[in-house]
Amino acid sequence: MAPYTLTYFAVKGRCSALKILLADQGQQLKENLVTFDDWMKGDLKKCCVFGQLPKFEDGDLVLFQSNAMLRHLGRKHGAYGKNDSEAALIDMMNDGVEDLRLKYLKMIYQEYETGKEAYIKDLPNHLSKFGAFMAKNKSGFLVGDKISFADYNLFDLLLNHKVLSPTCLDAFPTLKAFVDTLSARPKIKALLESDDFKKLPINGNGKQ
Ligand code: GTB
């Protein structure tokens, strides 16, 4: 039996990073897909701590908030740095990923038609920060010499941005190499190429 269960809508959304982490760490995941019609009935929403999905179960532990899930899995699977200082830097970078994800989601869900062009124009200002930080570290990862949950989260967000703007990483060789290297890790490659993963739209409104 899969040790972990994820309940979410049929989109990549906030759960791809978590799926990529689990796949790369050789972990199984049971998925419950929720249709929007079922969600609108309201019964499940009432049982969610913040009235939102995803919901993640690890035995008796029930989690909401996708970043809490990433941290939990990072802790359990050795993807949270080798000491407190590395863990703090990983938290910092993951917060940076979340800031960019929120900007991306605002553009996708609220201002795609009017704001996409300006968003893409401003994107290098954000990508350069991640690129510079990673380039200083030399290991090919954000922090330390081992992959962390923040790397998986950044990787997922960069994949989404490559769909939005296929050339957006061209000016950032460190980030481009990072995406290429993680895409080629065998278990990640298998997940990204699986029908179950490929068939999910990135976002709930069909914009990407
Ligand atoms: N901070 C939370 C986290 O990181 O987990 C944010 C969770 C969140 O935004 N959940 C959204 C949700 O539950 C789904 S992700 N929305 C329903 C509600 O609030 O009632 C974004 C999303 C939007 C729409 C669809 N869709 O239409 O299928 C899918 C996913």
Side-chain angles (χ1 to χ4, degrees), residues 67-188:
N67 285 296
M69 297 165 197
L70 285 174
R71 287 193 169 84
H72 175 64
L73 293 172
R75 235 173 257 124
K76 276 189 77 166
H77 297 288
Y80 210 147
K82 65 174 178 298
N83 54 39
D84 286 352
S85 298
E86 283 193 4
L89 290 170
I90 290 166
D91 280 337
M92 176 181 87
M93 294 316 291
N94 197 63
D95 285 357
V97 175
E98 175 65 13
D99 284 352
L100 181 56
R101 189 181 292 278
L102 288 173
K103 285 191 176 73
Y104 167 80
L105 291 174
K106 181 166 183 262
M107 181 276 295
I108 288 285
Y109 283 103
Q110 295 172 26
E111 50 201 37
Y112 189 81
E113 276 74 23
T114 53
K116 178 182 162 181
E117 216 174 295
Y119 180 90
I120 290 173
K121 201 164 166 224
D122 186 42
L123 193 50
N125 293 324
H126 300 289
L127 296 181
S128 60
K129 312 288 192 303
F130 292 102
F133 190 87
M134 190 180 283
K136 263 199 206 159
N137 190 38
K138 308 268 190 262
S139 71
F141 302 118
L142 284 167
V143 178
D145 55 8
K146 220 176 142 199
I147 198 161
S148 73
F149 71 87
D151 288 306
Y152 294 116
N153 202 12
L154 176 63
F155 173 62
D156 168 52
L157 193 59
L158 293 178
L159 290 182
N160 293 352
H161 279 84
K162 275 185 69 183
V163 174
L164 176 76
S165 168
T167 58
C168 71
L169 297 185
D170 289 359
F172 304 103
T174 305
L175 294 181
K176 201 165 188 292
F178 170 73
V179 167
D180 290 346
T181 305
L182 263 66
S183 300
R185 283 166 81 108
K187 290 172 188 155
I188 295 182

Side-chain angles (χ1 to χ4, degrees), residues 8-9 11 14 36 39 45 51-54 65-67 109 204:
Y8 194 45
F9 304 105
V11 297
R14 282 194 165 271
F36 212 66
W39 179 253
K45 188 176 175 76
Q52 291 193 312
L53 295 175
Q65 295 293 351
S66 55
N67 285 296
Y109 283 103

Side-chain angles (χ1 to χ4, degrees), residues 8-11 33-45 51-53 109 203-205:
Y8 194 45
F9 304 105
V11 297
L33 291 182
V34 177
T35 65
F36 212 66
D37 283 353
D38 274 348
W39 179 253
M40 290 311 282
K41 290 177 191 154
D43 297 340
L44 177 56
K45 188 176 175 76
Q52 291 193 312
L53 295 175
Y109 283 103
N203 300 298
N205 62 354

